[in-house]
Amino acid sequence: MSKSKMESFMDEWIKTHERDVLPGAMLMKYGPQDYVGATIAVRGTLYFKGSHTPAIREALCKCLDAYEAVAKDHLTWLWREEPPDGPDKYAYAKAPPMRALIKKMGEQDQVSFAYVGGEKPHDASPWMFFASGMREWEAKLGWNGLDSLRFSVPKEVIEKNPTLFQKLFVDFARLLKAEHGHAGYALNLSLPRTEPNEPTEAFMALKMAGLDAGESVMIGSWHDKGIDDHIFGIGWLTAINKTMVETVGGLDTLRAELPASWFAKYDYGNGLVIQAGPEPEIAPVELDPKPAIYVLPAMALREIRLVDNDDLHYGSKDGEPRLTGLAANQWLARFDVPEEDLMGYKTKLLGEPKQTKETTLPDSL
């Protein structure tokens, strides 16, 4: 990327950062374009199995019920991929209820419901609820991946309601019997125009280590990359199933490595959710690239983390940044430190924000 292109990007960021939005295709050769290509949000992602079954489909509806209780006034569009009937896009106000749409679906129909905000249907929005799952025949193959749910809210919602997001994340993990998941700051990209906005995500992820990144191209095709039994990474919230808990030494080991004053732990039935700190950290690289609140869980969970994946984004077309190859693997390892440095980070943790009663759920272990 040329220096002038980078400077243009930063100028645009300075102009728009108070609204936490960036124009579409910002770093593409033909950009920027007049739509919201990316926007800051607090986002959770959960991976689970069985979206072709009535039980899990009803669980997804219950998750949407809870999300709509918070987000309904902000949702504007419903997108669907390959619906068995009807359009692939509805204005939210005119869309049939999710249960009604699911009722018409068979086991060989793909679950794909993306509820988003935004003035234009292709605008990125901090309000998003995106359930994506496999057909029965795909799930039975056993190598096709995991189903997923991504949901997000603006950061202001977290500031005003310091336990709302944790409750949604833990409740959704319980309803879906989640295999694993993570949550924290992220850039939500335009759903129908994801690929041209990945360079924006790649650039910002290198500037802010606390930003989640790289999921859009991978949803539904994780298995051959090891995501069936490895977590994508750690975040403000990290869910791991019971097998993973035992693999990293059990609850007692996690309690010892991740002290309760900074790390809350919640039982969701099929596993454990770890909350790192009272609120998500965006971790600007220029200020503090490796906050202890993220380094310690990254190292405690390293045995179950995905450490090698060279295609978190689609390939570059004109030299724009992407999380591919070495850049992808460096991003996955962004909170890793040498073993001999761990004690220093445990000391550093003492100066980082602790949990409070106002920021943790009442049933912390």
Side-chain angles (χ1 to χ4, degrees):
M1 187 192 312
S2 68
K3 183 177 180 181
S4 60
K5 187 75 169 180
M6 190 74 74
E7 289 173 345
S8 295
F9 176 94
M10 294 310 298
D11 288 344
E12 192 64 34
W13 174 253
I14 290 169
K15 285 192 295 182
T16 62
H17 79 281
E18 290 184 358
R19 293 183 293 125
D20 298 318
V21 299
L22 283 166
M26 184 67 204
L27 292 183
M28 297 301 289
K29 188 175 182 179
Y30 54 82
Q33 296 190 328
D34 186 22
Y35 68 94
V36 180
T39 181
I40 289 278
V42 177
R43 187 175 72 208
T45 301
L46 291 165
Y47 299 100
F48 59 95
K49 298 176 181 178
S51 70
H52 60 282
T53 67
I56 294 299
R57 289 181 176 183
E58 174 57 23
L60 285 170
C61 290
K62 289 179 178 178
C63 292
L64 180 60
D65 291 342
Y67 182 77
E68 283 182 317
V70 177
K72 189 171 185 177
D73 292 342
H74 305 281
L75 299 175
T76 49
W77 303 98
L78 166 60
W79 284 94
R80 300 183 68 195
E81 186 175 355
E82 299 183 16
D85 57 45
D88 63 358
K89 179 185 68 181
Y90 288 96
Y92 175 74
K94 298 180 179 179
M98 184 172 169
R99 280 187 178 84
L101 294 170
I102 280 183
K103 190 175 181 180
K104 297 179 180 180
M105 294 169 57
E107 290 184 335
Q108 305 308 331
D109 294 319
Q110 179 184 6
V111 166
S112 180
F113 293 88
Y115 294 86
V116 296
E119 181 179 349
K120 302 169 187 173
H122 46 276
D123 280 344
S125 170
W127 297 99
M128 179 184 67
F129 180 99
F130 182 12
S132 177
M134 290 177 283
R135 302 170 177 87
E136 181 198 33
W137 71 265
E138 294 174 313
K140 284 188 173 180
L141 289 175
W143 50 264
N144 224 32
L146 293 172
D147 305 324
S148 66
L149 171 64
R150 286 186 287 166
F151 67 97
S152 63
V153 300
K155 62 182 182 180
E156 293 79 13
V157 173
I158 306 297
E159 293 166 357
K160 294 177 181 178
N161 305 275
T163 59
L164 172 66
F165 196 88
Q166 298 94 300
K167 180 169 173 51
L168 290 176
F169 189 84
V170 174
D171 287 351
F172 293 177
R174 183 177 293 113
L175 282 165
L176 297 170
K177 301 178 176 61
E179 296 297 317
H180 54 87
H182 55 275
Y185 276 118
L187 276 186
N188 280 357
L189 307 183
S190 165
L191 284 180
R193 301 182 182 182
T194 294
E195 185 273 333
N197 290 292
E198 286 181 344
T200 301
E201 180 182 65
F203 180 83
M204 295 310 298
L206 295 176
K207 292 290 183 181
M208 301 176 184
L211 280 179
D212 190 17
E215 292 178 77
S216 56
V217 73
M218 302 307 298
I219 296 297
S221 59
W222 279 109
H223 184 96
D224 60 339
K225 298 297 182 182
I227 205 68
D228 57 329
D229 54 6
H230 288 77
I231 62 175
F232 181 60
I234 63 95
W236 174 43
L237 305 176
T238 305
I240 57 176
N241 64 30
K242 291 178 179 178
T243 299
M244 292 176 174
V245 171
E246 293 307 312
T247 298
V248 297
L251 180 57
D252 288 343
T253 296
L254 289 174
R255 282 174 167 155
E257 295 296 321
L258 307 174
S261 293
W262 290 269
F263 299 93
K265 303 163 191 74
Y266 311 113
D267 183 350
Y268 70 87
N270 196 44
L272 189 71
V273 170
I274 301 167
Q275 178 184 340
E279 61 184 10
E281 297 282 346
I282 205 162
V285 170
E286 291 183 359
L287 298 179
D288 188 0
K290 295 183 187 291
I293 200 75
Y294 287 167
V295 167
L296 296 184
M299 296 300 287
L301 303 179
R302 60 191 178 277
E303 191 171 351
I304 58 171
R305 281 176 35 224
L306 187 70
V307 295
D308 183 14
N309 191 306
D310 58 5
D311 54 1
L312 299 181
H313 283 165
Y314 293 97
S316 178
K317 294 182 177 180
D318 295 294
E320 72 279 358
R322 304 271 181 168
L323 292 179
T324 59
L326 179 61
N329 288 325
Q330 288 178 333
W331 183 83
L332 289 170
R334 67 199 184 281
F335 295 126
D336 288 355
V337 298
E339 193 75 31
E340 58 269 23
D341 291 350
L342 260 182
M343 186 55 66
Y345 279 93
K346 291 180 179 180
T347 301
K348 182 181 178 182
L349 182 68
L350 299 176
E352 296 189 1
K354 293 183 177 182
Q355 300 286 2
T356 68
K357 290 183 179 179
E358 292 73 28
T359 63
T360 55
L361 299 177
D363 55 351
S364 179
L365 298 175

